[in-house]
Amino acid sequence: MTSNAGKNEIFVWIWLPGATTPIVAGKLTKLNQRVIFTYGQSYLNNPTAIPIYDKELPLETGAQEKRFGTEAMPGCIRDAAPDAWGRRVILNKLLGAKAKTVDAGVLDEFTYLMESGSDRIGGMDFQVSPKTYQPRLAGQASLEELRRSAELIEKGELLTPELAQAIHHGTSIGGARPKALLNDDQAKYIAKFSSSTDHYNVIKAEFMAMRLAKRCALNVATVKLTKASGKDVLLIERFDRELRNNGWTRKLMLSALTLLGLDEMTPHYASYEDLAELIRHRFTNPKETLQEMFKRMVFNILCGNTDDHARNHAAFWDGKHLTLTPAYDLCPQMRQGGEASQAMMIAGNDRSSRLVTCLDSAKNFMLSDAQARQIIDAQIRCIKEHWEAVCEEANLPPMDRALFKDRLFLNSYAFEHYQTSSQN
């Protein structure tokens, strides 16, 4: 190990499709403001090797730099780095009480990659050694202890070494909300906790959105609702892991942000129109995938999820093909006024959270106006028909049912200038 290992030089390990153990793929080197990636010769000589992402890091010799975007880190690597919550946990670990008042930019990307847990989203990990893989493992902790740890981190308080190790395991998963990773013999889960800043039951709202999306025939992650210390916890079964007889495989994943050639500095340029074009040309089963993406776009509007940014869409990558992952992070957002906007543009520069905006974009998804209306009307009927049943699943109190239906699901602004069929 050189003196630069872990600081200016780290090694990228990868799980090839179907593999339960990783191999080293290459090396990341930091040179001032530049980040250089170089595939290892042993990896290039491996007949089963695949590019981490062919549009950014094609499988070729020599040093490579990011080919698009404004940040130095290649998007396909940045996708495996921790997001807002994971960075808060890492800051808490490294800076203690100071963590609550410092900006996340005080640490560089290499530090976040090396300080985050090894069971990260997708099929990569980062090590100081090109020869020995040593995973950064979780400590033993109950769901109640993990929830309590998340509360302490939000308050900027220090954790015991045991709890710090356990909550640290989940630093590599995305998103801004408090969360942790849980495993059992047959499945792996992401556990989402309530936040001290919540003004409504965000956990139950997301659970209901995911369950209603499933009933509306969308391909979504499996979720269940549980409790820890009397508080709601959402468990999301991970779809980037598959249990085999000899262990767990990991699926490589790429965010829509990376696929669209964007990064953390340019997310506002992301559009469903551009994503649809990419699906037509590069995804498996493009016709069915386009329809699925249109359904998700419509459902986001009907459930009040305006946080549909490009990191909340992703594809599996097997070295040749992109395949849309199940939907995740369908999180209804409470709003005070009528008007709302989606995080991604829908039709041209229009991102207004209205069904008519979806109709204007239908042609991008190879749908006629009549086909698009059929999808929209079917979702409206489905949400209405299954509303009470899903409220019962969530054990949602009557007051919250009225609040959710008025301010989250089927918001009146979504229907502006849209005429549903007489069946609705």
Side-chain angles (χ1 to χ4, degrees):
M1 184 176 73
T2 68
S3 60
N4 284 328
K7 183 177 180 181
N8 295 317
E9 179 181 275
I10 58 179
F11 293 91
V12 181
W13 288 66
I14 189 171
W15 278 255
L16 293 175
T20 55
T21 56
I23 60 174
V24 66
K27 177 176 67 175
L28 281 171
T29 306
K30 182 169 57 178
L31 298 172
N32 297 320
Q33 299 302 312
R34 299 165 60 199
V35 175
I36 309 298
F37 177 81
T38 309
Y39 281 110
Q41 193 58 49
S42 64
Y43 188 74
L44 292 172
N45 292 339
N46 187 332
T48 64
I50 64 173
I52 295 175
Y53 178 40
D54 59 353
K55 294 298 182 182
E56 274 194 313
L57 299 176
L59 202 58
E60 59 188 33
T61 59
Q64 302 186 48
E65 293 188 65
K66 186 172 180 179
R67 301 189 173 209
F68 47 73
T70 58
E71 294 187 328
M73 184 72 70
C76 56
I77 301 292
R78 175 61 178 81
D79 283 344
D83 277 339
W85 171 252
R87 292 172 189 239
R88 288 184 67 179
V89 178
I90 292 169
L91 286 169
N92 181 280
K93 172 190 173 185
L94 298 180
L95 303 180
K98 298 178 182 178
K100 193 173 182 180
T101 58
V102 301
D103 185 88
V106 71
L107 302 179
D108 65 8
E109 289 299 321
F110 273 42
T111 301
Y112 284 120
L113 289 175
M114 292 305 299
E115 289 292 335
S116 50
S118 290
D119 200 10
R120 64 189 70 247
I121 297 298
M124 288 189 294
D125 193 22
F126 307 94
Q127 299 280 307
V128 296
S129 171
K131 297 181 179 180
T132 304
Y133 179 75
Q134 295 182 325
R136 296 176 287 280
L137 299 175
Q140 296 296 319
S142 67
L143 188 57
E144 286 77 11
E145 290 171 322
L146 290 170
R147 187 201 62 76
R148 177 59 181 156
S149 300
E151 283 186 352
L152 292 174
I153 288 170
E154 281 199 300
K155 294 176 182 177
E157 299 179 15
L158 291 175
L159 306 179
T160 65
E162 294 78 15
L163 290 183
Q165 185 184 12
I167 196 75
H168 179 262
H169 182 50
T171 52
S172 52
I173 50 181
R177 293 194 59 79
K179 57 179 66 68
L181 293 177
L182 289 176
N183 302 330
D184 63 29
D185 292 337
Q186 297 298 319
K188 291 177 177 282
Y189 299 94
I190 297 171
K192 283 191 176 182
F193 308 112
S194 58
S195 169
S196 59
T197 60
D198 290 345
H199 298 297
Y200 61 101
N201 197 320
V202 176
I203 298 300
K204 285 189 175 180
E206 182 173 348
F207 170 78
M208 291 179 61
M210 295 289 284
R211 294 295 296 135
L212 284 167
K214 184 77 171 178
R215 294 191 181 222
C216 290
L218 274 69
N219 178 21
V220 299
T222 299
V223 296
K224 56 184 178 181
L225 203 58
T226 187
K227 284 186 178 293
S229 302
K231 295 190 176 182
D232 292 311
V233 180
L234 181 67
L235 297 181
I236 306 105
E237 186 171 347
R238 294 182 64 172
F239 47 70
D240 61 337
R241 299 290 187 266
E242 184 176 339
L243 183 60
R244 299 283 179 88
N245 291 333
N246 58 336
W248 291 91
T249 66
R250 303 190 181 194
K251 297 181 180 180
L252 285 167
M253 283 174 53
L254 298 167
S255 71
L257 195 69
T258 293
L259 296 175
L260 293 170
L262 303 172
D263 54 37
E264 305 305 317
M265 302 298 292
T266 56
H268 51 286
Y269 291 114
S271 74
Y272 282 103
E273 186 174 349
D274 290 341
L275 184 54
E277 182 177 0
L278 187 66
I279 290 171
R280 287 197 297 272
H281 291 100
R282 295 219 65 193
F283 276 60
T284 57
N285 304 312
K287 184 177 180 179
E288 294 82 358
T289 303
L290 284 169
Q291 186 172 115
E292 172 72 16
M293 183 54 65
F294 183 81
K295 289 179 178 179
R296 294 184 189 186
M297 183 174 70
V298 169
F299 189 82
N300 280 331
I301 289 174
L302 290 175
C303 80
N305 176 30
T306 54
D307 193 36
D308 58 335
H309 55 79
R311 280 209 177 281
N312 280 342
H313 303 283
F316 296 123
W317 167 249
D318 66 2
K320 294 181 179 179
H321 308 103
L322 293 164
T323 302
L324 192 65
T325 71
Y328 56 95
D329 281 358
L330 302 181
C331 306
Q333 310 292 307
M334 189 68 69
R335 48 181 134 172
Q336 299 297 326
E339 295 186 6
S341 298
Q342 299 303 120
M344 287 175 53
M345 293 178 284
I346 298 173
N349 294 325
D350 189 352
R351 61 179 82 233
S352 59
S353 306
R354 302 180 301 163
L355 298 173
V356 290
T357 315
C358 295
L359 284 180
D360 290 341
S361 185
K363 61 182 181 297
N364 297 319
F365 297 86
M366 299 177 65
L367 296 170
S368 66
D369 184 83
Q371 289 172 320
R373 286 180 180 275
Q374 186 178 28
I375 289 171
I376 293 170
D377 291 349
Q379 286 196 16
I380 296 169
R381 286 194 302 272
C382 179
I383 293 172
K384 289 180 176 180
E385 289 172 4
H386 296 286
W387 175 256
E388 289 300 328
V390 173
C391 284
E392 290 296 324
E393 276 191 75
N395 195 24
L396 194 68
M399 187 176 295
D400 283 344
R401 295 188 190 196
L403 178 69
F404 281 20
K405 199 165 187 180
D406 180 53
R407 305 274 286 280
L408 298 178
F409 297 86
L410 303 179
N411 188 277
S412 59
Y413 180 65
F415 295 88
E416 187 176 276
H417 304 308
Y418 182 80
Q419 182 64 47
T420 61
S421 69
S422 57
Q423 295 177 327
N424 293 317

